[in-house]
């Protein structure tokens, strides 16, 4: 029997890749002027929580998990611990509060 392209069948399978945590490192350039002795440094990207460790993507994941998926913070903490990330419930709660304050401007605009 000769195999031809007509005898092949394609099968699709649904797979799952769990969320992955990774660290981002942002390196900012710093330049100095020899003539006027001034330093210039590249601006920091804007974040929702200044000087915090959470990116906007992580914050949105926590918010969607809490409000859309009804996943309490203590369960989210357990999920994060299984992935090797130790975040306290108070930290997660603080993030939710800060995001709420930042989102007030958006809700006020949407109400208008």
């Amino acid at each position: 029997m000769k195999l031809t392209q007509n005898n092949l069948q394609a099968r699709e399978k649904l797979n799952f890749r769990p969320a992955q945590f990774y660290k981002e490192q942002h390196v900012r350039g710093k330049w100095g002027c020899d003539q006027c002795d001034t330093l210039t440094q590249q601006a920091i990207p804007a974040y929702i929580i200044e000087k915090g460790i959470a990116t906007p993507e992580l914050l949105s994941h926590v918010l969607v998990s809490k409000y859309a998926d009804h996943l309490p913070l203590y369960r989210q903490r357990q999920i994060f611990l299984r992935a090797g990330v130790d975040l306290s419930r108070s930290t997660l709660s603080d993030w939710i509060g800060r995001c709420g304050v930042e989102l007030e401007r958006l809700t006020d605009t949407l109400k208008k």
Side-chain angles (χ1 to χ4, degrees), residues 23-62:
K23 293 181 181 179
E24 291 180 355
Q25 184 178 23
H26 297 272
V27 179
R28 300 181 323 157
K30 185 186 266 187
W31 298 273
C33 178
D34 293 335
Q35 297 174 354
C36 61
D37 292 330
T38 59
L39 288 175
T40 305
Q41 190 169 18
Q42 191 175 9
I44 299 174
Y47 287 106
I48 296 171
I49 300 175
E50 291 297 323
K51 299 182 183 178
I53 62 169
T55 62
E57 293 84 4
L58 179 57
L59 293 172
S60 65
H61 174 73
V62 170

Side-chain angles (χ1 to χ4, degrees), residues 71-90:
L71 194 62
L73 294 180
Y74 77 91
R75 287 192 189 154
Q76 289 190 49
R77 182 175 191 272
Q78 291 170 347
I79 293 168
F80 294 159
L81 280 173
R82 281 196 310 263
V85 178
D86 188 8
L87 294 171
S88 67
R89 282 193 310 175
S90 62

Side-chain angles (χ1 to χ4, degrees), residues 4 10 16 20 23 32 35 42 48 50-51 53 65 67 70 73-74 83-84 86 94 103 107 109 112:
T4 63
F16 174 74
Q20 298 173 348
K23 293 181 181 179
Q35 297 174 354
Q42 191 175 9
I48 296 171
E50 291 297 323
K51 299 182 183 178
I53 62 169
S65 295
Y67 293 111
H70 308 288
L73 294 180
Y74 77 91
D86 188 8
D94 181 57
L103 288 172
T107 57
T109 303
K112 290 179 185 178

Side-chain angles (χ1 to χ4, degrees), residues 98-112:
R98 289 177 183 235
C99 287
V101 169
E102 293 298 322
L103 288 172
E104 279 184 29
R105 290 184 240 159
L106 177 62
T107 57
D108 291 344
T109 303
L110 289 172
K111 285 179 184 177
K112 290 179 185 178

